[in-house]
Amino acid sequence: MSDHWAPYERAWAQDPHHLHRSVCLSALIAEADRAVAAALVNLSREYDATILCGSHHTPAEQHVTSAEDEGEYHQRCVDSPDSNASLDWRQLYCSLCLIQAPMVRCSRPAFRQVCRAWGARVSYTHMLIAESFVKSPHARHAEFARYEGEDRLVVQLAAKSGPAAAQAAVLLRPYCDGIDLNCGCPQRWAMKEGIGSALLDQPERVADMVRSIRNAMPDGSTASTIVGNGCEYGSCTSTVPPFLPCVVKMRIKDDLRRSVDFARQCEAAGVSWLTVHGRTPTCHPSAAVQFEAVKLIRENLSVPVVLNGGVTDVSTAMEAALRTGCGGLMSANGLLDNPAMFYCGASRAAAEAEMSFATSRRGRPPRTCDPASSPAETAAPGVFSEVFSPVQPVSFLWAPDRSNAGAGLLRYTVPDMWQAAVTPREVISDFMRAAIRTDLMVPTTVQQVLRMARLYVSPAERSHLALLRSNLSVLNALQEIGVYVESGRIACE
């Protein structure tokens, strides 16, 4: 390490908290990729036996499979003969590396902690500007923080030069498990500053930043550690690399050849894995994700590829993994709506026992949000559905080649996997406890609580919550409404 950077690291390393245990995140993602590859082999055999050799099951009614298919063609869909015949779906799901995405103003310690408590394996910080982070101690302490005991943390940096990225990475090295270079932010201000998606047209500069970060890491001996996915299934023994893993998060281009070339240059520079958002910088956030483009990039690289986009619950996570072959899956908006999005109960009774759901004053549970109505209208008194299920079975569609309009799709409904249909009260309560513990800014607390609890509160209650000026007041208001509960996975102090 250069002597010029040593004073920065000595000053930044004076932290009263114990440093977290380092893990090899690239090994986690590679292990997930292997699990998905093995599952695809078994599923392809089952598909041949069910579709190509003739199935005795009655085809379901014509079904539009996704937004990208709408208006183009319909595909024949049949139910799988036995969803558990050839594969342990729960083992496959537990093998996936589920990642909380970097989100502006949202990926703070409180939100990261509740996401990790309810199923996410890896967390990302929000984007930090490398130049400001290096020059200003105030920016460092205002923009970066960890909750006690946090691990599996990747810090996202926005940088325009190799030296700035390297200096920021050296300062962050004791406190995270990876550095992510943001080459995907589509916001206009970022493009104007020459960061984010603007770097997609400058692969040489991105490769130089990756090499600078790799070269700035001090040498060290590897230490054996057990890395796994935090569940009862599967773990692997690997080593923690002496350098800080550097990764790149990118979006695809309209010309996929340029996307593949960009990814290859990043790989040659030494990235540990690549995160690919399956939309272009000009796409609307709700546009269909181009899974085939992500799959093409993955097939042209030897390092793992993490999929970002289109993952909103357990069902879409399973479908996305099988369609792209990616074992690493990243979600943003889905987790903002429900930080327990990755939670998967072993049975309906177990899921409902662990997660309780608030009821309206009229004794009816909240309904799932109608896309045609606003959250306030959905939560208004008198519009709750008579029939409501707080948990839903995991169900998804799959075929080896979704691009073939004539191909049949298999529908898999896994009987022993259940996902939350709305945000459980325990999750909202966990977030409030974490927000108070980490002193989260009140406007951010209110914004995220209103999004999580959008199906529980009336318009008047939303207006009241927006006027509160302390996290404790927000907690008391939620307790009066009946949303806050003492149970959860983050203990009260």
Side-chain angles (χ1 to χ4, degrees):
M1 182 179 64
S2 170
D3 291 337
H4 176 69
W5 294 337
Y8 285 113
E9 186 171 43
R10 284 197 298 269
W12 182 234
Q14 293 176 359
D15 188 341
H17 301 293
H18 295 292
L19 297 182
H20 66 278
R21 176 178 57 87
S22 294
V23 295
C24 186
L25 296 183
S26 56
L28 286 177
I29 300 172
E31 180 188 10
D33 283 353
R34 290 191 293 270
V36 173
L40 287 171
V41 173
N42 291 333
L43 288 176
S44 296
R45 294 172 184 163
E46 180 179 292
Y47 182 87
D48 293 341
T50 305
I51 297 292
L52 301 183
C53 297
S55 173
H56 62 278
H57 291 265
T58 304
E61 60 181 347
Q62 296 295 319
H63 179 73
V64 178
T65 60
S66 66
E68 64 184 343
D69 302 324
E70 190 171 358
E72 297 180 7
Y73 58 83
H74 296 275
Q75 289 183 296
R76 185 170 62 90
C77 176
V78 301
D79 292 329
S80 172
D82 186 348
S83 295
N84 289 323
S86 60
L87 193 65
D88 186 337
W89 291 106
R90 175 165 289 277
Q91 180 175 357
L92 173 61
Y93 182 70
C94 290
S95 298
L96 299 178
C97 187
L98 306 171
I99 303 172
Q100 167 248 307
M103 291 167 277
V104 178
R105 294 185 299 276
C106 295
S107 299
R108 299 286 181 172
F111 183 74
R112 299 199 303 264
Q113 185 176 13
V114 72
C115 288
R116 286 293 307 277
W118 286 92
R121 274 64 163 177
V122 179
S123 298
Y124 272 61
T125 69
H126 61 287
M127 180 178 66
L128 308 180
I129 306 299
E131 288 81 358
S132 301
F133 191 85
V134 170
K135 294 178 181 178
S136 170
H138 174 74
R140 291 200 290 270
H141 292 282
E143 293 299 319
F144 178 76
R146 296 183 297 115
Y147 60 86
E148 187 174 358
E150 183 173 17
D151 63 355
R152 300 187 186 184
L153 177 65
V154 178
V155 177
Q156 185 176 73
L157 292 178
K160 294 185 287 186
S161 67
Q167 291 182 46
V170 169
L171 295 177
L172 289 162
R173 181 177 63 87
Y175 306 100
C176 65
D177 294 294
I179 295 292
D180 176 86
L181 291 176
N182 187 345
C183 299
C185 180
Q187 298 185 57
R188 292 181 181 177
W189 72 267
M191 301 280 285
K192 186 177 180 180
E193 291 291 329
I195 58 178
S197 294
L199 293 171
L200 293 175
D201 296 322
Q202 305 174 61
E204 295 83 5
R205 174 175 292 188
V206 175
D208 177 68
M209 288 191 284
V210 173
R211 284 190 290 266
S212 297
I213 293 175
R214 291 290 301 271
N215 293 335
M217 291 300 107
D219 293 332
S221 59
T222 59
S224 296
T225 183
I226 300 297
V227 294
N229 48 25
C231 68
E232 59 183 309
Y233 295 102
S235 63
C236 65
T237 302
S238 184
T239 57
V240 177
F243 57 86
L244 191 67
C246 180
V247 299
V248 170
K249 187 173 185 291
M250 60 173 285
R251 284 180 177 250
I252 60 174
K253 302 283 287 185
D254 291 322
D255 185 354
L256 290 181
R257 292 173 298 181
R258 296 179 61 188
S259 297
V260 172
D261 178 68
F262 181 91
R264 283 175 171 170
Q265 292 198 46
C266 291
E267 179 184 30
V271 294
S272 298
W273 73 85
L274 198 72
T275 301
V276 181
H277 191 137
R279 299 183 179 96
T280 65
T282 57
C283 273
H284 190 274
S286 62
V289 175
Q290 299 183 38
F291 291 113
E292 295 302 321
V294 178
K295 182 179 179 181
L296 176 65
I297 294 174
R298 183 189 64 80
E299 291 173 343
N300 280 274
L301 300 180
S302 59
V303 296
V305 170
V306 171
L307 165 70
N308 182 207
V311 179
T312 57
D313 54 23
V314 179
S315 296
T316 53
M318 296 288 282
E319 183 173 349
L322 296 176
R323 289 186 64 177
T324 62
C326 296
L329 303 173
M330 178 179 285
S331 178
N333 286 325
L335 287 172
L336 285 177
D337 290 334
N338 180 12
M341 183 196 84
F342 289 135
Y343 170 85
C344 184
S347 67
R348 179 170 183 169
E352 291 182 345
E354 183 169 12
M355 302 183 298
S356 62
F357 299 85
T359 58
S360 71
R361 294 181 177 84
R362 301 177 62 180
R364 296 177 182 174
R367 68 173 185 176
T368 53
C369 188
D370 181 1
S373 62
S374 66
E377 293 171 340
T378 304
V383 297
F384 293 103
S385 298
E386 294 290 347
V387 179
F388 172 79
S389 176
V391 294
Q392 297 174 346
V394 174
S395 178
F396 55 92
L397 300 170
W398 182 79
D401 183 11
R402 291 285 292 269
S403 62
N404 182 6
L409 295 173
L410 282 184
R411 178 188 291 112
Y412 292 89
T413 301
V414 187
D416 60 344
M417 292 177 64
W418 294 82
Q419 58 193 352
V422 296
T423 308
R425 290 190 297 171
E426 284 80 359
V427 176
I428 301 172
S429 304
D430 278 343
F431 175 76
M432 282 307 309
R433 289 188 283 269
I436 293 174
R437 184 178 300 173
T438 60
D439 197 22
L440 184 64
M441 293 182 294
V442 179
T444 303
T445 300
V446 172
Q447 176 189 9
Q448 294 189 249
V449 163
L450 288 178
R451 184 160 183 172
M452 297 177 199
R454 66 195 183 283
L455 303 179
Y456 296 137
V457 297
S458 67
E461 291 164 343
R462 292 176 64 88
S463 300
H464 173 66
L465 287 169
L467 296 175
L468 300 179
R469 291 294 177 264
S470 73
N471 287 331
L472 188 58
S473 299
V474 176
L475 185 147
N476 291 334
L478 292 176
Q479 199 165 20
E480 293 177 1
I481 295 171
V483 175
Y484 181 83
V485 294
E486 296 294 337
S487 57
R489 296 188 174 183
I490 298 177
C492 298
E493 289 188 341

mmCIF file with all atom_site columns, all heavy atoms in Angstrom, residues 156-169:
data_model
loop_
_atom_site.group_PDB
_atom_site.id
_atom_site.type_symbol
_atom_site.label_atom_id
_atom_site.label_alt_id
_atom_site.label_comp_id
_atom_site.label_asym_id
_atom_site.label_entity_id
_atom_site.label_seq_id
_atom_site.pdbx_PDB_ins_code
_atom_site.Cartn_x
_atom_site.Cartn_y
_atom_site.Cartn_z
_atom_site.occupancy
_atom_site.B_iso_or_equiv
_atom_site.pdbx_formal_charge
_atom_site.auth_seq_id
_atom_site.auth_comp_id
_atom_site.auth_asym_id
_atom_site.auth_atom_id
_atom_site.pdbx_PDB_model_num
ATOM 1  N N   . GLN A 1 156 ? -20.997 0.237  -2.689  1.00 0.00 ? 156 GLN A N   1
ATOM 2  C CA  . GLN A 1 156 ? -21.027 0.697  -4.078  1.00 0.00 ? 156 GLN A CA  1
ATOM 3  C C   . GLN A 1 156 ? -20.394 2.075  -4.182  1.00 0.00 ? 156 GLN A C   1
ATOM 4  O O   . GLN A 1 156 ? -20.745 2.992  -3.436  1.00 0.00 ? 156 GLN A O   1
ATOM 5  C CB  . GLN A 1 156 ? -22.455 0.755  -4.614  1.00 0.00 ? 156 GLN A CB  1
ATOM 6  C CG  . GLN A 1 156 ? -22.493 1.118  -6.096  1.00 0.00 ? 156 GLN A CG  1
ATOM 7  C CD  . GLN A 1 156 ? -23.882 1.087  -6.692  1.00 0.00 ? 156 GLN A CD  1
ATOM 8  O OE1 . GLN A 1 156 ? -24.688 1.963  -6.411  1.00 0.00 ? 156 GLN A OE1 1
ATOM 9  N NE2 . GLN A 1 156 ? -24.163 0.083  -7.519  1.00 0.00 ? 156 GLN A NE2 1
ATOM 10 N N   . LEU A 1 157 ? -19.468 2.206  -5.122  1.00 0.00 ? 157 LEU A N   1
ATOM 11 C CA  . LEU A 1 157 ? -18.775 3.466  -5.365  1.00 0.00 ? 157 LEU A CA  1
ATOM 12 C C   . LEU A 1 157 ? -19.108 3.994  -6.751  1.00 0.00 ? 157 LEU A C   1
ATOM 13 O O   . LEU A 1 157 ? -19.282 3.223  -7.700  1.00 0.00 ? 157 LEU A O   1
ATOM 14 C CB  . LEU A 1 157 ? -17.258 3.276  -5.263  1.00 0.00 ? 157 LEU A CB  1
ATOM 15 C CG  . LEU A 1 157 ? -16.654 2.966  -3.892  1.00 0.00 ? 157 LEU A CG  1
ATOM 16 C CD1 . LEU A 1 157 ? -15.146 2.769  -4.032  1.00 0.00 ? 157 LEU A CD1 1
ATOM 17 C CD2 . LEU A 1 157 ? -16.957 4.083  -2.905  1.00 0.00 ? 157 LEU A CD2 1
ATOM 18 N N   . ALA A 1 158 ? -19.171 5.310  -6.847  1.00 0.00 ? 158 ALA A N   1
ATOM 19 C CA  . ALA A 1 158 ? -19.243 5.988  -8.139  1.00 0.00 ? 158 ALA A CA  1
ATOM 20 C C   . ALA A 1 158 ? -17.940 6.752  -8.304  1.00 0.00 ? 158 ALA A C   1
ATOM 21 O O   . ALA A 1 158 ? -17.612 7.606  -7.478  1.00 0.00 ? 158 ALA A O   1
ATOM 22 C CB  . ALA A 1 158 ? -20.435 6.938  -8.189  1.00 0.00 ? 158 ALA A CB  1
ATOM 23 N N   . ALA A 1 159 ? -17.188 6.428  -9.328  1.00 0.00 ? 159 ALA A N   1
ATOM 24 C CA  . ALA A 1 159 ? -15.879 7.047  -9.527  1.00 0.00 ? 159 ALA A CA  1
ATOM 25 C C   . ALA A 1 159 ? -15.655 7.303  -11.006 1.00 0.00 ? 159 ALA A C   1
ATOM 26 O O   . ALA A 1 159 ? -16.256 6.649  -11.865 1.00 0.00 ? 159 ALA A O   1
ATOM 27 C CB  . ALA A 1 159 ? -14.774 6.156  -8.966  1.00 0.00 ? 159 ALA A CB  1
ATOM 28 N N   . LYS A 1 160 ? -14.763 8.258  -11.274 1.00 0.00 ? 160 LYS A N   1
ATOM 29 C CA  . LYS A 1 160 ? -14.417 8.587  -12.654 1.00 0.00 ? 160 LYS A CA  1
ATOM 30 C C   . LYS A 1 160 ? -12.963 8.286  -12.967 1.00 0.00 ? 160 LYS A C   1
ATOM 31 O O   . LYS A 1 160 ? -12.546 8.402  -14.115 1.00 0.00 ? 160 LYS A O   1
ATOM 32 C CB  . LYS A 1 160 ? -14.709 10.066 -12.928 1.00 0.00 ? 160 LYS A CB  1
ATOM 33 C CG  . LYS A 1 160 ? -16.178 10.422 -12.881 1.00 0.00 ? 160 LYS A CG  1
ATOM 34 C CD  . LYS A 1 160 ? -16.429 11.863 -13.274 1.00 0.00 ? 160 LYS A CD  1
ATOM 35 C CE  . LYS A 1 160 ? -15.991 12.821 -12.177 1.00 0.00 ? 160 LYS A CE  1
ATOM 36 N NZ  . LYS A 1 160 ? -16.377 14.225 -12.493 1.00 0.00 ? 160 LYS A NZ  1
ATOM 37 N N   . SER A 1 161 ? -12.183 7.928  -11.945 1.00 0.00 ? 161 SER A N   1
ATOM 38 C CA  . SER A 1 161 ? -10.761 7.668  -12.171 1.00 0.00 ? 161 SER A CA  1
ATOM 39 C C   . SER A 1 161 ? -10.292 6.536  -11.278 1.00 0.00 ? 161 SER A C   1
ATOM 40 O O   . SER A 1 161 ? -10.861 6.293  -10.202 1.00 0.00 ? 161 SER A O   1
ATOM 41 C CB  . SER A 1 161 ? -9.934  8.929  -11.894 1.00 0.00 ? 161 SER A CB  1
ATOM 42 O OG  . SER A 1 161 ? -9.980  9.259  -10.518 1.00 0.00 ? 161 SER A OG  1
ATOM 43 N N   . GLY A 1 162 ? -9.236  5.870  -11.715 1.00 0.00 ? 162 GLY A N   1
ATOM 44 C CA  . GLY A 1 162 ? -8.682  4.773  -10.954 1.00 0.00 ? 162 GLY A CA  1
ATOM 45 C C   . GLY A 1 162 ? -8.135  5.175  -9.597  1.00 0.00 ? 162 GLY A C   1
ATOM 46 O O   . GLY A 1 162 ? -8.418  4.516  -8.587  1.00 0.00 ? 162 GLY A O   1
ATOM 47 N N   . PRO A 1 163 ? -7.333  6.262  -9.495  1.00 0.00 ? 163 PRO A N   1
ATOM 48 C CA  . PRO A 1 163 ? -6.787  6.650  -8.187  1.00 0.00 ? 163 PRO A CA  1
ATOM 49 C C   . PRO A 1 163 ? -7.859  6.948  -7.146  1.00 0.00 ? 163 PRO A C   1
ATOM 50 O O   . PRO A 1 163 ? -7.734  6.543  -5.986  1.00 0.00 ? 163 PRO A O   1
ATOM 51 C CB  . PRO A 1 163 ? -5.956  7.898  -8.519  1.00 0.00 ? 163 PRO A CB  1
ATOM 52 C CG  . PRO A 1 163 ? -5.563  7.717  -9.944  1.00 0.00 ? 163 PRO A CG  1
ATOM 53 C CD  . PRO A 1 163 ? -6.726  7.043  -10.597 1.00 0.00 ? 163 PRO A CD  1
ATOM 54 N N   . ALA A 1 164 ? -8.925  7.654  -7.537  1.00 0.00 ? 164 ALA A N   1
ATOM 55 C CA  . ALA A 1 164 ? -9.987  7.970  -6.571  1.00 0.00 ? 164 ALA A CA  1
ATOM 56 C C   . ALA A 1 164 ? -10.687 6.701  -6.102  1.00 0.00 ? 164 ALA A C   1
ATOM 57 O O   . ALA A 1 164 ? -10.962 6.527  -4.906  1.00 0.00 ? 164 ALA A O   1
ATOM 58 C CB  . ALA A 1 164 ? -10.992 8.931  -7.202  1.00 0.00 ? 164 ALA A CB  1
ATOM 59 N N   . ALA A 1 165 ? -10.978 5.792  -7.030  1.00 0.00 ? 165 ALA A N   1
ATOM 60 C CA  . ALA A 1 165 ? -11.629 4.535  -6.656  1.00 0.00 ? 165 ALA A CA  1
ATOM 61 C C   . ALA A 1 165 ? -10.734 3.717  -5.740  1.00 0.00 ? 165 ALA A C   1
ATOM 62 O O   . ALA A 1 165 ? -11.200 3.118  -4.759  1.00 0.00 ? 165 ALA A O   1
ATOM 63 C CB  . ALA A 1 165 ? -11.979 3.739  -7.913  1.00 0.00 ? 165 ALA A CB  1
ATOM 64 N N   . ALA A 1 166 ? -9.429  3.694  -6.029  1.00 0.00 ? 166 ALA A N   1
ATOM 65 C CA  . ALA A 1 166 ? -8.500  2.903  -5.222  1.00 0.00 ? 166 ALA A CA  1
ATOM 66 C C   . ALA A 1 166 ? -8.368  3.464  -3.812  1.00 0.00 ? 166 ALA A C   1
ATOM 67 O O   . ALA A 1 166 ? -8.343  2.709  -2.829  1.00 0.00 ? 166 ALA A O   1
ATOM 68 C CB  . ALA A 1 166 ? -7.138  2.848  -5.908  1.00 0.00 ? 166 ALA A CB  1
ATOM 69 N N   . GLN A 1 167 ? -8.278  4.786  -3.685  1.00 0.00 ? 167 GLN A N   1
ATOM 70 C CA  . GLN A 1 167 ? -8.156  5.383  -2.355  1.00 0.00 ? 167 GLN A CA  1
ATOM 71 C C   . GLN A 1 167 ? -9.395  5.106  -1.515  1.00 0.00 ? 167 GLN A C   1
ATOM 72 O O   . GLN A 1 167 ? -9.295  4.774  -0.326  1.00 0.00 ? 167 GLN A O   1
ATOM 73 C CB  . GLN A 1 167 ? -7.934  6.891  -2.491  1.00 0.00 ? 167 GLN A CB  1
ATOM 74 C CG  . GLN A 1 167 ? -6.574  7.268  -3.072  1.00 0.00 ? 167 GLN A CG  1
ATOM 75 C CD  . GLN A 1 167 ? -6.386  8.772  -3.133  1.00 0.00 ? 167 GLN A CD  1
ATOM 76 O OE1 . GLN A 1 167 ? -6.679  9.478  -2.172  1.00 0.00 ? 167 GLN A OE1 1
ATOM 77 N NE2 . GLN A 1 167 ? -5.910  9.265  -4.261  1.00 0.00 ? 167 GLN A NE2 1
ATOM 78 N N   . ALA A 1 168 ? -10.572 5.239  -2.114  1.00 0.00 ? 168 ALA A N   1
ATOM 79 C CA  . ALA A 1 168 ? -11.800 4.953  -1.374  1.00 0.00 ? 168 ALA A CA  1
ATOM 80 C C   . ALA A 1 168 ? -11.863 3.486  -0.971  1.00 0.00 ? 168 ALA A C   1
ATOM 81 O O   . ALA A 1 168 ? -12.288 3.146  0.142   1.00 0.00 ? 168 ALA A O   1
ATOM 82 C CB  . ALA A 1 168 ? -13.014 5.329  -2.224  1.00 0.00 ? 168 ALA A CB  1
ATOM 83 N N   . ALA A 1 169 ? -11.431 2.593  -1.854  1.00 0.00 ? 169 ALA A N   1
ATOM 84 C CA  . ALA A 1 169 ? -11.459 1.161  -1.548  1.00 0.00 ? 169 ALA A CA  1
ATOM 85 C C   . ALA A 1 169 ? -10.534 0.826  -0.394  1.00 0.00 ? 169 ALA A C   1
ATOM 86 O O   . ALA A 1 169 ? -10.867 -0.004 0.461   1.00 0.00 ? 169 ALA A O   1
ATOM 87 C CB  . ALA A 1 169 ? -11.075 0.359  -2.790  1.00 0.00 ? 169 ALA A CB  1
#
